[in-house]
Amino acid sequence: MRYQEKAKFDANGLLTAIAQDWKTGKVLMCAFMNQEALEKTVQTGVMTYWSRSRKKLWIKGETSGHTQKVREMRFDCDGDALLCKVEQTGGACHEGWESCFAYKIQGETIVAEEKKLFDPGQVYQKQD
Amino acid sequence: MRYQEKAKFDANGLLTAIAQDWKTGKVLMCAFMNQEALEKTVQTGVMTYWSRSRKKLWIKGETSGHTQKVREMRFDCDGDALLCKVEQTGGACHEGWESCFAYKIQGETIVAEEKKLFDPGQVYQKQD
């Protein structure tokens, strides 16, 4: 089966893409791909998402230099989610964390538990 | 901040929930939670999703016995995705795989690469 046939895009033409550090197994971020982003990612080996806010293709790290090189891509059983093992340069999160999943639920509250890798003000001219 | 304030549900009242094996770091599945599912999961410590196909709360493993005990829950920066580290009993996937992410992209094609943990026909009366 060609990989495009396995992909099941939702009503907005998107599927969920999870980026995981290929070495440490740390889950770095969760965003979206449309068909073009998926094909670009497969062709170039560089994680390319669809930005819902900016309504355009988003080559991760284009502004920040914090790119994600693809090591492995896997669809889930129903084809609406993609797990991408990546080699992350710098931090994945535009807030400066290594992983976007920095906000731990502790009891009934949220605790930011990660140590920032970088200062977003110094890295971004605009949000990546 | 209370954890409910961090949650950003989409137009359908859902957020993305990723389950990851707390020991091995293997990403097991990706599904959805509405507010009730999120609160049940926090309260009970057992992964509870919203089934879009069945339009009801879905306590993972209720039919199969393949439950997911919560070890840690983390929101991402924008609060629309949740990373849940879980203790998985049996396999996460209704097709019998340990992880739903069993379909690797190899070149232009899809290869099912995982070894099945169980025979779905023997475990499910109906899909879990």
Side-chain angles (χ1 to χ4, degrees), chain B residues 92-112:
Chain B
C93 183
H94 73 282
E95 292 183 355
W97 316 105
E98 180 188 6
S99 161
C100 293
F101 293 96
Y103 297 92
K104 190 175 173 181
I105 300 181
Q106 212 155 63
E108 294 280 317
T109 61
I110 292 287
V111 183

Side-chain angles (χ1 to χ4, degrees), chain B residues 66-85:
Chain B
H66 294 177
T67 51
Q68 297 176 331
K69 190 174 167 187
V70 178
R71 289 285 182 159
E72 192 180 287
M73 294 174 79
R74 290 172 168 274
F75 277 106
D76 70 349
C77 45
D78 52 10
D80 64 357
L82 205 53
L83 175 64
C84 305
K85 299 194 183 179

Side-chain angles (χ1 to χ4, degrees), chain A residues 24-40:
Chain A
T24 65
K26 187 162 189 165
V27 176
L28 300 171
M29 59 182 280
C30 179
F32 297 90
M33 290 185 185
N34 62 4
Q35 184 164 343
E36 192 184 355
L38 171 62
E39 292 182 353
K40 284 262 184 205

Side-chain angles (χ1 to χ4, degrees), chain A residues 48-87:
Chain A
T48 304
Y49 301 94
W50 176 256
S51 167
R52 292 177 301 171
S53 55
R54 290 177 283 155
K55 296 187 177 32
K56 61 172 199 169
L57 279 190
W58 161 34
I59 300 171
K60 174 70 189 160
E62 208 172 21
T63 306
S64 62
H66 295 176
T67 50
Q68 298 175 330
K69 190 174 166 188
V70 178
R71 288 286 182 159
E72 192 179 288
M73 294 173 78
R74 291 172 168 276
F75 277 106
D76 71 349
C77 46
D78 52 9
D80 64 358
L82 203 54
L83 176 64
C84 305
K85 300 194 184 179
V86 304
E87 205 176 323

Side-chain angles (χ1 to χ4, degrees), chain A residues 93 95 97 99-104 110-114, chain B residues 74-77:
Chain A
C93 184
E95 292 183 354
W97 316 105
S99 161
C100 293
F101 293 96
Y103 297 92
K104 190 175 174 182
I110 291 287
V111 182
E113 251 222 334
E114 301 265 314
Chain B
R74 290 172 168 274
F75 277 106
D76 70 349
C77 45

Side-chain angles (χ1 to χ4, degrees), chain B residues 40-59:
Chain B
K40 285 262 184 208
T41 300
V42 171
Q43 285 158 19
T44 63
V46 176
M47 288 293 281
T48 305
Y49 301 94
W50 175 257
S51 168
R52 292 177 302 171
S53 55
R54 289 177 284 153
K55 296 185 178 32
K56 60 172 198 170
L57 278 191
W58 161 34
I59 300 171

